[in-house]
């Protein structure tokens, strides 16, 4: 399949997004459900208010009952009333027993309180006689979901950001981990480790990055082989050049015995020395590349280099007069 990485990332992002929406929706519903009921302690407080009012009502203490209701109003800063209901069927209809038993003018204290309603609901605690109702608008301090606004922001903003960050980290690690391995391998290859390989470290992964790793391995193997072959060729060639060069020097020595002052022979001797130094330098370079020793800084006298170039030029162009003005020394610091 082409573009495996694209399909893999698309599938991961799609499933991650769906999972994100489901988790947020589930948590919001669960949190809203949990925060939509009056606290048990507050429920008991409302029941105590109603039971004390019922006791005064049954004792016929109307004045104390009125004072108690007023006390609750001021204490809770809310509306309180004691109401008697009388259900009268009309037009020959009949009352259903279930309806009569569960009839209420307000909400039962165990019912769910909607967090999105602006006005607090009326709570109904029915007396034992079944038709006298203690009604109280739910005090604000007892209203559930006081932290719902902050919780909602946390669930709808902070949590998605956290989950998306986790998903991003997972995708980032999935993509960058093999790329870091490639970066490390490239650095090792540039430092001379031509045996480094990446594909086997990626396991069963089979996508564009794995293909890139395979391409890198092929490149590393091919270039490493070429470099090693070139180094061996350079070393072997330098060694092989020593033999004919030695023969030339031997023949030159014989010729110098007959005409020691011949300028041409002197020039040939100079060029032979240059060739031998070149061969030795080539062997040294091959050794440096193979062993990679710690090198020290050295200085180069540019005056000597220029004098050598000018001397070669005078020999090659004897009819020309070459004049050069150089200082005695001109050192160039090299690393």
């Amino acid at each position: 399949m082409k573009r495996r990485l694209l399909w893999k990332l698309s599938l991961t992002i799609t499933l991650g997004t769906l999972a994100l929406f489901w988790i947020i929706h589930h948590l919001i519903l669960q949190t809203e459900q949990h925060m939509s009921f009056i606290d048990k302690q507050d429920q008991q407080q409302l029941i105590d208010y109603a039971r004390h009012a019922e006791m005064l009502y049954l004792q016929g203490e109307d004045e104390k009952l009125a004072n108690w209701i007023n006390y609750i109003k001021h204490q809770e800063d809310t509306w309180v009333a004691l109401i008697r209901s009388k259900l009268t069927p009309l037009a020959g209809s009949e009352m259903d027993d279930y309806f009569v038993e569960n009839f209420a003018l307000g909400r039962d204290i165990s019912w769910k309180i909607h967090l999105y309603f602006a006005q607090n609901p009326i709570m109904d605690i029915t007396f034992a006689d079944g038709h006298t109702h203690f009604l109280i608008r739910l005090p604000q301090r007892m209203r559930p979901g006081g932290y719902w606004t902050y919780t909602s922001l946390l669930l709808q903003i902070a949590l998605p950001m956290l989950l998306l960050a986790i998903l991003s980290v997972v995708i980032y690690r999935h993509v960058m981990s093999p790329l870091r391995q490639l970066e490390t391998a490239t650095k090792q290859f540039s430092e001379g480790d031509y045996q480094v390989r990446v594909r086997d470290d990626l396991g069963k992964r089979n996508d564009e990055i794995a293909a890139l790793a395979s391409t890198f391995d092929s490149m590393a193997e091919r270039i490493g082989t070429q470099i090693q072959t070139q180094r061996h060729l350079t070393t072997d060639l330098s060694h092989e050049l020593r033999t004919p060069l030695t023969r030339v020097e031997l023949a030159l020595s014989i010729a110098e015995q007959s005409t020691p002052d011949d300028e041409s022979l002197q020039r040939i001797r100079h060029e032979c020395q240059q060739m031998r130094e070149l061969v030795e330098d080539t062997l040294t370079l091959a050794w440096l590349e193979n062993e990679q020793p710690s090198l020290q800084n050295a200085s180069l006298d540019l005056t000597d280099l220029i004098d050598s170039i000018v001397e070669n030029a005078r020999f090659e162009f004897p009819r020309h007069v070459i004049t050069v003005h150089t200082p005695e020394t001109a050192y160039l610091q090299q690393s």
Side-chain angles (χ1 to χ4, degrees):
M1 185 194 325
K2 296 182 178 180
R3 300 182 179 177
R4 289 179 178 271
L5 184 60
L6 172 63
W7 292 111
K8 189 184 298 183
L9 294 180
S10 299
L11 182 62
T12 302
I13 293 174
T14 301
L15 294 179
T17 303
L18 292 176
L20 172 65
F21 287 152
W22 182 85
I23 291 173
I24 293 175
H25 178 70
H26 179 72
L27 288 177
I28 289 177
L29 289 181
Q30 292 296 322
T31 304
E32 181 181 354
Q33 182 75 10
H34 179 74
M35 298 180 66
S36 296
F37 294 93
I38 302 174
D39 187 81
K40 295 295 183 182
Q41 183 177 354
D42 293 332
Q43 290 185 25
Q44 187 59 47
Q45 181 66 67
L46 295 176
I47 292 174
D48 292 341
Y49 284 155
R51 293 295 170 254
H52 189 71
E54 183 178 12
M55 181 188 67
L56 297 176
Y57 172 76
L58 294 176
Q59 292 176 356
E61 300 286 350
D62 294 340
E63 184 176 354
K64 291 183 179 181
L65 179 58
N67 292 335
W68 176 244
I69 292 175
N70 289 329
Y71 167 78
I72 299 173
K73 288 181 179 179
H74 291 89
Q75 179 70 18
E76 301 293 351
D77 190 23
T78 187
W79 172 83
V80 183
L82 197 63
I83 298 176
R84 180 181 299 168
S85 63
K86 184 177 181 181
L87 302 177
T88 304
L90 303 176
S93 58
E94 298 180 353
M95 300 292 294
D96 183 86
D97 293 338
Y98 178 82
F99 175 78
V100 174
E101 292 176 1
N102 294 278
F103 175 78
L105 295 174
R107 286 177 172 268
D108 187 84
I109 60 174
S110 62
W111 287 8
K112 178 179 177 180
I113 306 299
H114 294 286
L115 302 179
Y116 305 102
F117 288 179
Q119 192 172 12
N120 291 354
I122 304 296
M123 312 309 297
D124 183 349
I125 302 176
T126 306
F127 289 177
D129 59 14
H131 55 78
T132 305
H133 304 267
F134 176 82
L135 303 179
I136 178 173
R137 186 182 303 280
L138 183 65
Q140 186 61 35
R141 70 177 184 86
M142 298 183 184
R143 174 86 183 247
Y147 297 99
W148 172 244
T149 301
Y150 304 103
T151 304
S152 178
L153 291 176
L154 179 65
L155 293 176
Q156 298 184 41
I157 297 179
L159 181 61
M161 291 178 62
L162 176 62
L163 295 179
L164 287 175
I166 294 175
L167 180 61
S168 300
V169 169
V170 171
I171 295 176
Y172 178 81
R173 289 176 61 87
H174 182 74
V175 174
M176 291 304 300
S177 178
L179 292 181
R180 286 198 182 97
Q181 291 178 289
L182 278 170
E183 179 185 9
T184 302
T186 303
K187 184 177 180 181
Q188 293 175 350
F189 186 85
S190 66
E191 293 174 351
D193 183 6
Y194 303 119
Q195 304 302 320
V196 64
R197 299 294 183 266
V198 182
R199 182 62 185 90
D200 292 340
D201 296 335
L202 301 184
K204 297 181 179 179
R205 181 167 184 153
N206 187 18
D207 54 18
E208 288 85 344
I209 296 181
L212 176 61
S214 299
T215 303
F216 173 85
D217 289 351
S218 300
M219 178 203 69
E221 182 176 1
R222 183 173 61 256
I223 295 179
T225 301
Q226 292 176 353
I227 292 176
Q228 294 295 340
T229 302
Q230 181 182 8
R231 286 181 178 178
H232 289 307
L233 178 61
T234 302
T235 303
D236 294 341
L237 182 61
S238 299
H239 281 291
E240 293 297 327
L241 284 175
R242 284 181 169 182
T243 300
L245 183 60
T246 301
R247 293 172 182 170
V248 171
E249 289 176 340
L250 180 60
L252 180 62
S253 297
I254 296 174
E256 287 177 338
Q257 293 177 0
S258 302
T259 54
D261 298 329
D262 191 309
E263 184 177 350
S264 298
L265 294 179
Q266 293 178 359
R267 184 64 191 181
I268 294 174
R269 171 67 66 182
H270 175 74
E271 295 298 334
C272 287
Q273 293 176 352
Q274 294 293 324
M275 291 177 62
R276 182 167 292 280
E277 291 178 0
L278 181 60
V279 170
E280 297 297 333
D281 290 343
T282 303
L283 291 174
T284 302
L285 178 60
W287 178 81
L288 291 174
E289 290 181 346
N290 289 325
E291 301 298 331
Q292 296 184 351
S294 177
L295 302 180
Q296 298 179 351
N297 294 337
S299 59
L300 172 66
D301 191 352
L302 294 179
T303 301
D304 292 341
L305 177 61
I306 294 174
D307 289 343
S308 176
I309 296 174
V310 171
E311 183 180 355
N312 292 333
R314 285 171 178 169
F315 178 81
E316 295 175 5
F317 306 98
R319 297 182 180 181
H320 294 76
V321 177
I322 302 176
T323 304
V324 180
H325 299 282
T326 59
E328 294 184 0
T329 58
Y331 287 101
L332 175 64
Q333 193 71 21
Q334 294 183 343
S335 57

